[in-house]
């Protein structure tokens, strides 16, 4: 497979580089810079990218790659630290920037030599995203300067004969205008990649990798029915189906038909699918509990208990599989942010299960890539394009006491809302939408009679990262239709309100 090798020097945008390359339909692999050269050679890359990194090349502790890499005859693009490393290794000089003005951080107006293959077809000027405190005081022999900024005359270097390019800025981040075009130029103009890699190829590679890793071992996976764990399950099912046990804990707070849909989606694979009907158990524990954090804690703990019991029945397993995706990897490194809500994810269970190793087959993928992989594996569209659904499920969308009756009311109302959102095509414009059953009751009139029923709130938001969100401007016609249908079709609701608060100050979920 035509491969670009990304050598990781510890920079913060490394996975983003991989993503950009794959967006150009070129397969890539990220390897630590210290990987032995023979191992890298075996990959037969058509090009190599050195990533950025936090170090300074002239320090003793700085990471260095085997210098023989420069005599391979494979084109190299060095980004930030990678650029300085290449310059330094080939006889250039890199020093701390003399004065503050040569240290560049953030958006910087940059002028490019468009005669250079890396910048071919680009405007001569654009903003680039810099983040470097070191300076290439002398560039190595054979290299030309190909971009400059006001503070720095050598923002980019190139030795076109050997196919070596270096940029001090980060072409992979969105802040760099035409950054993706530069990466594309490296791939197609310099490395002559064909760009015919597809998610189907990725699937096949991942399957053979999983088979190799798992061998004849047994794998256990907690399946939530969300996109990530479903795609991870499908991939493992395809790779080592008979050795895989998926435990799907139905806590009775799923959306309408959800449990059956998940079970149905996996019927085509030969795997051990355990569906635990734990509705009664969860509802008993939750009876009379109104405080949101309490609800979350009870569900989190009970979930672990149920999962643990099921895992015991399965016996010792070799691998615990998790649907961790790349944004989870970034977020888990996010540090000490204040706890606004104790999120319960089906992920972090290792302490409770007897296993030897973790497998995370989606660790390298972004959400949209995970969805694409799911389609490739033949999962149904309703599962693959599913919006996020919180681990505690409807429990945090039922304000006040949780009973089966109230859960059923919410399930029906939520189903109608989702049905109409899809009918109006708004499900594609909005990132998350759902109904909330409030604990407020009000007087209404239906037929000739008085009602005293619950108020239901509709929530729909647009967001890119779910950290902040704006309420969605849904068409009145749609809201009207949903309101009419719910009040007519769902017994127990006589009033509908639409939530028009953004996050912050509100959160997306109500609890
Ligand atoms: P909030 O309500 O904090 O939600 O604005 C942000 C996003 O996180 C989802 N969410 C959860 N997801 N376990 C999850 O897996 C949870 O406990 C949980 N609580 C909130 C929420 O649906 C939204 O997408």
């Amino acid at each position: 497979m035509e491969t670009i090798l990304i050598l990781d020097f510890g920079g913060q945008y490394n996975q983003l580089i991989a993503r950009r390359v794959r967006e150009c339909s070129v397969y890539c692999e990220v390897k630590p810079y210290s990987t032995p050269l023979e191992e890298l050679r075996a990959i037969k890359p058509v090009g190599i990218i050195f990533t950025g990194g936090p170090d300074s090349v002239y320090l003793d502790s700085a990471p260095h790659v085997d210098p023989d890499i420069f005599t391979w005859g494979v084109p190299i693009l060095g980004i930030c630290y990678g650029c300085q490393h290449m310059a330094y290794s080939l006889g250039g000089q890199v020093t701390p920037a003399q004065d503050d003005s040569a240290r560049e951080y953030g958006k910087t107006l940059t002028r490019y030599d468009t005669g250079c293959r890396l910048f071919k077809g680009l405007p001569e000027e654009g903003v680039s995203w810099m983040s470097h405190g070191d300076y290439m005081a002398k560039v190595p022999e054979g290299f030309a300067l190909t971009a400059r900024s006001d503070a720095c005359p050598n923002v980019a270097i190139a030795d076109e004969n050997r196919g070596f390019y270096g940029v001090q800025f980060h072409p992979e981040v969105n802040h760099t205008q035409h950054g993706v075009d530069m990466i594309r130029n490296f791939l197609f103009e310099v490395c002559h990649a064909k760009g015919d890699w597809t998610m189907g190829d990725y699937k096949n590679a991942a399957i053979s990798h999983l088979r190799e890793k798992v061998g004849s071992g047994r794998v256990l996976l907690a399946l939530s029915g969300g996109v990530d764990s479903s795609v991870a399950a499908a991939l493992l099912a395809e790779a080592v189906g008979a050795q895989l046990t998926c435990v799907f804990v139905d806590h009775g707070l799923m959306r309408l038909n959800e449990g059956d849909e998940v079970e149905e989606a996996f019927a085509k694979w030969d795997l051990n699918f355990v569906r635990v009907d734990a509705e009664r158990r969860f509802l008993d524990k939750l009876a009379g509990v109104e405080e949101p954090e309490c609800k979350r804690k009870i569900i989190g703990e009970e979930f672990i208990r149920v999962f643990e019991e099921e895992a015991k029945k399965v016996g010792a397993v070799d691998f615990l599989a998790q649907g961790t995706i790349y944004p989870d990897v970034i977020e888990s490194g996010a540090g000490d942010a204040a706890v606004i809500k104790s999120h319960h994810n089906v992920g972090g269970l290792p302490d409770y299960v007897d296993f030897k190793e973790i497998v995370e087959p989606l660790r390298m993928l972004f959400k949209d890539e995970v969805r694409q992989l799911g389609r490739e594996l033949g999962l149904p569209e309703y599962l693959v394009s599913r919006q996020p659904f919180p681990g505690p499920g409807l429990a945090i969308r039922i304000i006040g006491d949780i009973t089966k009756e109230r859960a059923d009311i919410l399930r029906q109302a939520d189903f109608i809302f989702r049905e109409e959102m899809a009918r109006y095509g708004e499900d594609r414009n909005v990132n998350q939408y759902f109904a909330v059953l409030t604990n407020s009751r009000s007087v209404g009139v239906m037929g000739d009679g008085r009602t005293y029923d619950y108020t239901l709130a509709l929530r729909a938001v647009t967001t890119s990262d779910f950290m902040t969100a704006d309420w969605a401007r849904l068409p009145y016609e749609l809201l009207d239709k949903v309101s009419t249908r719910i009040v007519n079709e769902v017994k127990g609701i006589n009033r509908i309100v639409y939530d028009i608060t953004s996050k912050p100050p509100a959160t997306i979920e109500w609890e």
Side-chain angles (χ1 to χ4, degrees), residues 376-448:
E376 205 59 54
L377 286 157
L379 282 174
E381 189 57 36
Y382 61 77
L383 242 180
V384 167
S385 55
R386 192 162 261 184
Q387 52 168 324
F389 185 63
L394 300 183
I396 57 170
R397 295 178 182 169
I398 297 173
I399 313 305
D401 196 18
I402 299 169
T403 60
K404 173 146 173 59
E405 189 201 0
R406 297 192 77 210
D408 283 338
I409 291 177
L410 177 58
R411 254 190 286 268
Q412 288 174 55
D414 183 70
F415 183 76
I416 292 172
F417 186 28
R418 286 189 287 134
E419 205 168 55
E420 292 302 330
M421 284 290 283
R423 208 191 304 274
Y424 279 75
E426 284 296 325
D427 55 341
R428 291 191 295 271
N429 302 332
V430 167
N431 304 98
Q432 196 170 6
Y433 53 97
F434 51 88
V436 176
L437 185 64
T438 76
N439 53 354
S440 157
R441 294 210 284 174
S442 67
V443 175
V445 52
M446 281 187 96
D448 290 327

Side-chain angles (χ1 to χ4, degrees), residues 207 209-221 233 235-247 269-274 314-321 359:
I207 288 171
H209 177 74
L210 279 172
R211 285 192 182 138
E212 205 178 299
K213 173 156 185 163
V214 169
S216 58
R218 295 206 297 159
V219 189
L220 180 69
L221 175 97
L235 191 60
L236 281 156
E238 200 70 38
V240 293
Q243 295 148 250
L244 172 69
T245 302
C246 290
V247 177
W269 280 288
D270 174 26
L271 55 85
N272 310 302
F273 189 97
V274 182
V314 176
V317 292
D318 303 281
F319 298 92
L320 180 77
V359 275

